[in-house]
Amino acid sequence: MLITLKEIFKYAGDNVAIGAFNIHNLEFIKGVVQAAEETQRPAIMMINEAVLKYGGIEILGGAAIAAAKKASVDMAVMVDHGEDIDFLKKCIDFGLDIMFDGSHLPFEENIKLTKMMADYAHSHNRSIEGEIGQLGLSEDGDEETEQKITSVEEAVTFASKTDIDVLAISVGNVHGFYKGEAKINVPRIKEISSALEKMPIVMHGGSDIPSEIMRASIQAGIKKFNIATDLKHAYALTMYDLMHQDTMPIQPLQLFPVVADAVAAVAAEKIKIFSSEV
Ligand code: 13P
């Protein structure tokens, strides 16, 4: 069933976070839904703003919403890293929850725009995630930016002034593969989650983090874990193997279900970790 981003946190708990997975096409949608149904856990499908502009709000966004509605478990569908106000308003009008990413903006500007988007989202019964602090690498992993660890003070001020439902923080997490081992500031997660009490906090850049660090982050208070790269990697590797067989398969149905299964396997493995099942 389709529920909102805000509602899905009724399934989170002291040692339980919700898995949020970036989807790019039908195989990712099918894979993530399959993983949620197999594990009988809720999950969030996220569509990056640029991917949604390519795939179309009604086409790709509509497919994800339709799949969530048909799923046997509760699912939310949201835009990830949205920056384009007019586009995001259209997404909300269509029925998508959003993340407004103003983390690169000056603090006060981020507050102002995030609050404006929160008012718009809430007046349409949709939820919103905001972000404060800055991650080390961009979503594509090719652009180095200065990392800014979120302070407790900033997180509290931002959460109270913007009226958001969920807050993404920067605690050493980066998008894409980590250079060396992930160095996550677990004590800072604990400080922020204690200070914010009820507001769920989010770890972006959830791929390529050892499971012990994922578990420690969840115990410290992370309630939503974002995963993109690990699924894209599984998808690409599986497609590569299929394409490099002696006879290259050209029938879509020889390819699509296989890559969807590869996406599902990785998503299910993560969901089990997030649910403290393994
Ligand atoms: P990864 O690609 O590192 O998993 O990050 C995903 C993410 O944070 C999407 O918002």
Side-chain angles (χ1 to χ4, degrees), residues 20-22 46 48 80-81 99 129 131 135 138-140 173-178 202-209 224-232:
F21 303 97
N22 287 80
M46 304 186 293
N48 180 276
D80 193 30
H81 291 290
M99 176 211 183
E129 174 179 324
E131 177 166 339
L135 268 53
S138 76
E139 174 83 328
D140 299 317
N173 43 325
V174 303
H175 285 129
F177 289 120
Y178 284 76
V202 184
M203 174 88 92
H204 279 246
S207 294
D208 195 28
I209 299 183
K224 172 176 178 266
F225 240 100
N226 284 12
I227 306 280
T229 300
D230 282 342
L231 296 192
K232 290 190 277 195

Side-chain angles (χ1 to χ4, degrees), residues 30 33 128 163 176 191 197 218 226 239 263:
K30 284 179 96 73
V33 172
I128 177 168
D163 206 20
E191 287 163 11
E197 293 174 12
I218 293 167
N226 284 12
M239 190 61 97
V263 168

